[in-house]
Amino acid sequence: MTEPVHRSAPHPGDGWLECSCGRRHWGLNGAAGLFLTRFGPDGRAPQEVLLQHRAVWSDQGGTWGIPGGAVADGETPSAGALREANEEAGVDPEDLELVGAVVLDHGPWSYTTLLAVCTPGRVIAPVVTDQESIAMEWTAISELAHRPLLRAFGQQLPVYLAALARGVARRRE
Ligand SMILES: [Zn+2]
């Protein structure tokens, strides 16, 4: 385990937004995350996903989710998701292929999830780089049902998996 590196400064865009749904969400410009998977030995279907074990002090601390966070001012959600995955887990965007995206749209706020697969032949060895995580782990997709998941992530999981399957099938065409 590497020593956590502190973020130098908060990003413009960090903050809570009072949403029309009656709740508050993190990210003044919305938020974004990276659902990064890798293929099993057969190279056909994604078998593992990169999960973040969230720090105990964080919102719904101790649960598992994906790396992500607030979209910065002037940044696209895609760029935000890739930046967060790099900052939080050391993921190099050169090592992955995007296969789709899912947007949860609340109107004044939205959460964009990029769906990606690790490029065959590349190795992504996640590291914990800041204090928002206890661990970053490749986790079997079949095991997700047994993990305490961040509520919103758990609710959206079937949507992500369906979109991922479509994206992977398109990639093969
Ligand atoms: Zn909302």
Side-chain angles (χ1 to χ4, degrees):
M1 177 100 56
T2 14
E3 196 66 24
V5 180
H6 297 260
R7 279 189 195 188
S8 49
H11 296 287
D14 283 355
W16 293 97
L17 183 129
E18 299 290 341
C19 186
S20 56
C21 74
R23 291 172 43 216
R24 21 177 245 159
H25 308 294
W26 182 251
L28 301 175
N29 308 306
L34 180 66
F35 192 92
L36 175 61
T37 61
R38 65 180 181 186
F39 293 108
D42 68 358
R44 290 195 58 78
Q47 289 196 341
E48 293 180 308
V49 58
L50 180 61
L51 287 194
Q52 175 192 39
H53 196 188
R54 299 162 59 83
V56 174
W57 53 262
S58 68
D59 183 38
Q60 297 176 52
T63 58
W64 295 76
I66 54 174
V71 175
D73 291 355
E75 188 176 52
T76 63
S78 296
L82 293 174
R83 175 183 51 71
E84 288 283 340
N86 181 259
E87 287 180 355
E88 294 188 337
V91 171
D92 184 344
E94 296 284 309
D95 292 336
L96 58 87
E97 294 170 30
L98 298 180
V99 297
V102 172
V103 180
L104 180 66
D105 190 357
H106 281 207
W109 181 88
S110 64
Y111 191 99
T112 301
T113 304
L114 291 190
L115 307 166
V117 292
C118 181
T119 304
R122 301 287 181 89
V123 175
I124 296 180
V127 291
V128 170
T129 57
D130 68 19
Q131 293 187 315
E132 291 178 31
S133 314
I134 299 167
M136 288 284 177
E137 254 178 47
W138 285 110
T139 307
I141 291 173
S142 60
E143 231 184 74
L144 290 176
H146 308 293
R147 294 276 174 115
L149 301 177
L150 184 71
R151 210 175 305 120
F153 175 62
Q155 285 165 354
Q156 285 281 95
L157 186 58
V159 179
Y160 299 152
L161 293 176
L164 176 71
R166 284 195 301 274
V168 168
R170 263 199 311 273
R171 174 180 175 273
R172 228 180 264 120
E173 276 163 14

